[in-house]
């Protein structure tokens, strides 16, 4: 079925990678962003408190672009990053404005489904080595970012329950990939840049630490599969297994083919392990890590990007 897909936060890294997928050529993409309007984009800074009149204008603009009976809302918009300890009032208020404005627009448009991208790494403990956390585990946010994500999950869940709204919450593992606008963003990208330029790789956790990574491509795939399978509820989205930081560094060494020095800034252990069985059992999809292949692709993209500057 063809649908209107309204993307809040159209210019985010994950949203841009998601839009590139051929799946969306047959759908009507409507982008909401803080940038100036283009033909398929609506300007709206949802991170600011919006008056009812402003909300109404945005709703009218969305309605004018709807061409199919089914409408799907996907919330990518967010302020801050998972591994940055950030308690500033402006970050809190921005994210609370985003979720409140999003719900206010959803109340009027009544989309067929809402998809919210949450964060697995900020909601589960990261100090237990031998346990993969399932969705049924009561979240214990590890930072301010996680607390804001959890509040938003609860607000959306309450809204969905009272409005009988279909809702999918995807708790995403540590995302990695290449975006030329933010080519050094993410630990793997930063390490590749350091290795390429002969600088030390900085370690903020022990080499034995384990992280569940998932590529931008597979995040996009998880959203598509969620829509195709009409999934409702909360799902962990990650690779089939976690990987140690030492393994990541070894792959970078092999691909860059240079001697790499390591600077250990913190030797504490971190074990970010999640259980993805629920998503796998309901869709039949298993996201393989393919670490070497993906790191090689990022490396090649960095080399091309650097040569074009």
């Amino acid at each position: 079925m063809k649908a209107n897909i309204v993307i809040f936060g159209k210019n985010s890294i994950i949203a841009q990678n998601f839009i590139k997928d051929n799946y969306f050529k047959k759908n009507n993409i409507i982008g909401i962003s803080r940038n100036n309007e283009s033909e398929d984009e609506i300007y709206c800074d949802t991170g600011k408190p919006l008056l009812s009149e402003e909300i109404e204008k945005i709703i009218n603009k969305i309605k004018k672009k709807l061409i199919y009976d089914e409408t799907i809302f996907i919330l990518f918009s967010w302020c801050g990053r998972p591994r940055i300890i950030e308690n500033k009032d402006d970050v809190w208020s921005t994210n609370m404005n985003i979720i409140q404005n999003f719900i206010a627009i959803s109340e009027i448009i009544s989309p067929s489904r809402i998809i919210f991208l949450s964060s697995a790494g900020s909601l589960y403990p990261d100090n237990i080595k031998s346990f993969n956390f399932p969705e049924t585990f009561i979240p214990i946010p590890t930072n301010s970012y996680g607390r804001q994500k959890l509040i938003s999950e609860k607000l959306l869940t309450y809204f969905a329950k009272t409005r009988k709204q279909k809702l999918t919450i995807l708790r995403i593992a540590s995302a990695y990939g290449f975006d030329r606008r933010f080519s050094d963003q993410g630990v793997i990208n930063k390490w590749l840049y350091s290795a390429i330029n002969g600088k030390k790789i900085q370690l903020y956790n022990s080499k034995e630490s384990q992280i569940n990574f998932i590529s931008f491509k597979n995040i996009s795939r998880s959203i598509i599969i969620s829509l195709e399978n009409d999934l409702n509820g909360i799902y962990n989205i990650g690779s089939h297994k976690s990987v140690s930081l030492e393994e990541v560094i070894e792959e970078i060494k092999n691909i860059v083919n240079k001697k790499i020095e390591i600077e250990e800034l913190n030797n504490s252990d971190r074990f970010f392990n999640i259980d993805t069985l629920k998503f796998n059992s309901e869709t039949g999809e298993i996201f393989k890590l393919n670490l070497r292949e993906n790191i090689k692709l990022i490396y090649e993209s960095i080399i091309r990007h650097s040569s074009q500057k």
Side-chain angles (χ1 to χ4, degrees):
M1 180 184 292
K2 293 183 178 180
N4 309 296
I5 300 178
V6 184
I7 296 177
F8 291 76
K10 181 176 180 286
N11 291 311
S12 71
I13 292 177
I14 296 177
Q16 282 294 300
N17 280 269
F18 172 68
I19 292 167
K20 291 175 185 176
D21 198 289
N22 289 333
Y23 173 85
F24 297 100
K25 288 184 178 179
K26 63 181 180 181
N27 293 293
N28 176 32
I29 302 297
I30 303 169
I32 312 288
S33 76
R34 292 177 296 174
N35 295 341
N36 293 329
E37 291 185 39
S38 63
E39 186 178 341
D40 65 340
E41 222 168 75
I42 297 172
Y43 170 78
C44 178
D45 188 351
T46 55
K48 294 181 178 180
L50 299 178
L51 299 174
S52 57
E53 294 85 358
E54 294 174 294
I55 293 286
E56 186 177 353
K57 286 181 180 179
I58 298 303
I59 289 169
N60 289 333
K61 288 181 180 181
I62 294 173
K63 284 182 175 179
K64 287 180 181 179
K65 291 180 176 289
L66 302 180
I67 60 177
Y68 299 122
D69 292 334
E70 184 177 3
T71 298
I72 296 160
F73 278 11
I74 307 180
L75 181 55
F76 290 95
S77 302
W78 203 255
C79 180
R81 287 182 288 167
R83 296 288 284 164
I84 303 297
I85 299 173
E86 188 61 87
N87 275 303
K88 290 183 178 179
D89 291 342
D90 58 345
V91 175
W92 271 93
S93 61
T94 296
N95 287 325
M96 292 306 99
N97 286 332
I98 287 172
I99 200 68
Q100 288 167 10
N101 290 328
F102 179 81
I103 288 174
I105 295 170
S106 300
E107 282 179 330
I108 305 301
I109 299 288
S110 295
S112 310
R113 172 173 301 284
I114 289 173
I115 295 181
F116 174 54
L117 271 68
S118 190
S119 171
S122 299
L123 293 178
Y124 301 122
D126 59 3
N127 57 355
I128 301 176
K129 183 177 182 178
S130 57
F131 184 72
N132 295 332
F133 290 93
E135 295 87 346
T136 53
F137 186 89
I138 298 175
I140 304 175
T142 57
N143 51 36
S144 176
Y145 182 95
R147 288 190 288 276
Q148 293 165 54
K149 284 286 189 181
L150 183 58
I151 289 170
S152 298
E153 281 190 12
K154 291 182 178 297
L155 288 172
L156 283 171
T157 300
Y158 177 78
F159 171 71
K161 183 178 180 180
T162 56
R163 296 290 296 257
K164 296 183 179 179
Q165 168 74 59
K166 290 183 178 180
L167 171 66
T168 310
I169 295 174
L170 302 179
R171 290 178 176 168
I172 308 295
S174 295
Y176 73 104
F178 182 83
D179 187 306
R180 59 187 303 108
R181 299 170 303 162
F182 312 100
S183 62
D184 63 345
Q185 188 161 312
V187 63
I188 291 176
N189 299 50
K190 289 183 187 298
W191 285 356
L192 278 168
Y193 264 106
S194 295
I196 292 167
N197 295 317
K199 297 181 179 178
K200 293 180 180 179
I201 285 181
Q202 294 185 323
L203 267 178
Y204 288 89
N205 292 108
S206 70
K207 289 188 289 185
E208 293 74 26
S209 294
Q210 297 172 349
I211 308 296
N212 191 296
F213 288 101
I214 185 165
S215 66
F216 292 158
K217 180 180 179 180
N218 282 338
I219 293 174
S220 298
R221 182 70 185 142
S222 73
I223 299 170
I224 294 167
I225 291 171
S226 298
L227 292 171
E228 291 175 339
N229 288 270
D230 200 29
L231 296 185
N232 292 298
I234 299 174
Y235 295 85
N236 288 336
I237 302 298
S239 297
H240 71 296
K241 65 176 182 178
S242 297
V243 63
S244 71
L245 296 183
E246 186 171 23
E247 290 175 85
V248 175
I249 292 171
E250 284 302 313
E251 291 296 349
I252 290 175
K253 283 182 181 178
N254 292 332
I255 290 167
V256 177
N257 196 26
K258 285 184 179 181
K259 182 180 179 181
I260 294 176
E261 291 188 61
I262 299 172
E263 182 180 8
E264 295 187 10
L265 301 177
N266 190 329
N267 199 38
S268 63
D269 292 329
R270 181 183 179 226
F271 301 108
F272 168 34
N273 300 307
I274 58 173
D275 186 339
T276 60
L277 181 60
K278 180 181 177 182
F279 185 83
N280 296 342
S281 63
E282 293 190 24
T283 66
E285 187 77 19
I286 297 175
F287 295 122
K288 297 292 185 180
L289 183 58
N290 295 329
L291 187 65
R292 177 174 298 179
E293 176 186 335
N294 284 317
I295 290 180
K296 185 178 180 181
L297 287 173
I298 296 172
Y299 168 75
E300 291 170 349
S301 297
I302 289 173
I303 295 298
R304 285 195 301 271
H305 178 66
S306 299
S307 66
Q308 293 168 2
K309 287 184 177 179

